Amino acid sequence: MAAFRTALLLILSICAGIVFAADLPEIPFATQPSEGLLIGGQPDEAALRQAAAAGTRVVVNLRTEGEQVEFDEERLVTELGMDYFWLPIAGADDLTPENVQIFDHILATIGDKPVLMHCGSGNRVGALFALQAGLHRGVETEAAIELGRVHGLTKLEDAVRARLEAAAPE
């Protein structure tokens, strides 16, 4: 099982560098760790329109109220026929079990729908993917961290690791 997880994480790591098809939106720090999942920084209005036209059905925004852009993202997303979820994560202090539970619920609600998840760079998205894997799916700490990296985890890695290690069974 550990060998399978390692192979899967290696494949996901390679896939993180996939070049996007021309019809997918251009957003800062974009990565596509799997088909139907685009992660990155803040999309502008044109990128959201492009995402909808490319088949994106859901937008998940992890930016806080103070980081919001000059347009009403939720209004635009819903006008374009996509579902919108807002889970404000400012940084490490917001990586709480409650917010990881909400993220887990969002993932369950989304299912297989094509989704665009964003924060400022993808770091917070990756952090929540790592924590969700470790805390809700029983993935071991190192594998969860690697999964987080594939999904954008960078600067929050130490905070994520500490939370995963604190929750690990003795």
Side-chain angles (χ1 to χ4, degrees):
M1 186 65 156
F4 173 76
R5 276 195 198 131
T6 302
L8 178 62
L9 288 172
L10 178 60
I11 291 167
L12 287 173
S13 297
I14 293 167
C15 291
I18 290 174
V19 177
F20 299 112
D23 60 344
L24 289 178
E26 291 186 32
I27 60 173
F29 308 104
T31 187
Q32 188 177 19
S34 61
E35 187 175 338
L37 175 59
L38 180 62
I39 296 172
Q42 176 65 53
D44 60 17
E45 290 182 66
L48 289 170
R49 291 181 192 287
Q50 200 176 10
T56 299
R57 300 283 47 102
V58 181
V59 173
V60 178
N61 178 1
L62 300 182
R63 299 186 84 192
T64 63
E65 192 170 298
E67 296 177 284
Q68 296 305 312
V69 292
E70 294 181 9
F71 64 95
D72 186 337
E73 181 174 338
E74 181 176 10
R75 182 190 53 73
L76 177 60
V77 166
T78 55
E79 283 177 3
L80 293 170
M82 297 181 286
D83 295 328
Y84 182 81
F85 294 91
W86 181 44
L87 176 58
I89 304 292
D93 289 343
D94 289 331
L95 298 176
T96 64
E98 295 79 16
N99 282 334
V100 175
Q101 178 66 42
I102 293 168
F103 185 72
D104 185 61
H105 178 73
I106 290 170
L107 292 178
T109 302
I110 292 169
D112 293 334
K113 293 178 187 173
V115 61
L116 165 65
M117 293 187 179
H118 74 86
C119 54
S121 66
N123 179 41
R124 290 171 269 183
V125 176
L128 285 174
F129 265 103
L131 289 167
Q132 188 265 351
L135 301 177
H136 291 271
R137 294 193 350 234
V139 175
E140 294 173 1
T141 297
E142 290 309 314
I145 292 291
E146 185 56 34
L147 183 69
R149 287 180 189 142
V150 168
H151 288 82
L153 176 64
T154 56
K155 296 178 208 166
L156 289 172
E157 183 174 329
D158 289 342
V160 169
R161 182 180 304 282
R163 283 160 177 77
L164 290 172
E165 288 174 352
E170 298 289 320

